[in-house]
Every structure is written in C-alpha cells, then in structure tokens.
Amino acid sequence: MASSSIPSTEVEKKIILVGPNWLELPRDVIANILKRLGTIEILTGACQVCPLWWNICKDPHIWRTINMSKLISSRYHHGDDLVKICCKAIERSCGQVEEIEIHHFATDDLLAYIAESAGHLRHLRLTSCRGFSDKGFRELKKFILNF
C-alpha cells in the first residue's frame, strides 16, 4: 500500500487556501448577505468578523429594517440586553430606520427612544410585548401624531 508523501496538515492547508476569499466579494454583495441576518447576529457577531464587515455594518442603509422578532439567539440574551441591542441598531441607522419589529421585550424606555430617534419610521410591530405601560404607549402616540 502506497503512502502519501504530503503530510496531512499540508493537504488541509491547501484545501483551506483554495476556498473562496469572501473578502474579495463586492461590498454590495456582502451588505446584501449581512441584511439577511438578524439584528442580534449582526451586532453581536458579523460586525466583529473583520474590518470590512465592521465598516459595512456601520452603514445606516443596513439598518433601515430592524427585525428583533427573529430571536434565534435570544436565549443567550436577557430583555435588558435586547433593549440595548435594539437601541444600538436604531443608533446605527442614523435616524433612517423605516421598519422595526420587536417580539417580547419592549419597554417604556425603548418606546420613548424609538419615538425620539426614528424620524423616518413607517412601520412598528410589537408582538407579545408586556413590558411597557400606558406611559410608553403615550410616547408612541405623540410620535404618531407628529407623523
């Protein structure tokens, strides 16, 4: 039985090096891929991959839609963490967010922050949220009346 003259670690290195270089993809293609991730995944993972992805994740266009209803990784985050992540996404939108979806964790403070920071908001969906009061809802009502 013949043995290979190339050590297995060299073969593994060659296989890895032959794979696609994701950094060579056009910026708009990477942005399109990142938009398909959930807000949590972008802010807690994708933006930390490399400087290019971090710069793309800072682009306000990525944050026109903030979807906090796909809480795949929410089991790793508490309500306060989710509020902070949502606020960070709104901040990254630079006021350009048009759509926000929140599932379970809305608070009075978060609704007030949305009302004052999301001037271009067209759609807000709150599902199964029990953490806000009439006061928080009034903040939104002020926003809606100004809209």
Side-chain angles (χ1 to χ4, degrees):
M1 180 172 207
S3 65
S4 172
S5 62
I6 302 173
S8 65
T9 55
E10 285 183 40
V11 172
E12 290 171 5
K13 286 180 184 178
K14 285 184 181 184
I15 291 171
I16 292 170
L17 293 176
V18 173
N21 184 350
W22 296 99
L23 294 176
E24 291 178 359
L25 288 173
R27 185 180 175 93
D28 60 328
V29 172
I30 296 171
N32 189 315
I33 292 168
L34 292 175
K35 283 182 187 179
R36 296 170 191 270
L37 296 175
T39 300
I40 296 169
E41 287 73 27
I42 294 173
L43 285 174
T44 62
C47 69
Q48 299 172 16
V49 169
C50 65
L52 174 63
W53 284 26
W54 185 75
N55 282 323
I56 293 171
C57 290
K58 289 190 327 183
D59 185 348
H61 289 91
I62 294 285
W63 304 105
R64 285 194 175 162
T65 297
I66 298 171
N67 190 339
M68 300 288 294
S69 66
K70 299 179 194 174
L71 298 179
I72 296 167
S73 62
S74 68
R75 61 182 163 227
Y76 306 112
H77 300 283
H78 298 290
D80 291 341
D81 293 337
L82 295 172
V83 169
K84 289 176 187 174
I85 290 169
C86 189
C87 288
K88 187 65 168 175
I90 293 167
E91 179 185 321
R92 291 249 176 116
S93 80
C94 297
Q96 301 301 311
V97 63
E98 296 175 354
E99 187 173 328
I100 300 174
E101 292 195 32
I102 298 172
H103 188 68
H104 282 299
F105 66 90
T107 63
D108 288 343
D109 291 338
L110 178 57
L111 296 181
Y113 186 75
I114 291 170
E116 69 184 44
S117 303
H120 289 86
L121 191 65
R122 292 182 176 168
H123 175 88
L124 175 65
R125 181 181 206 155
L126 304 172
T127 55
S128 300
C129 295
R130 294 181 180 92
F132 66 91
S133 66
D134 289 342
K135 176 187 171 206
F137 199 71
R138 280 193 299 274
E139 289 294 324
L140 280 178
K141 190 174 176 182
K142 289 182 206 173
F143 168 76
I144 293 168
L145 292 176
N146 291 330
F147 184 67

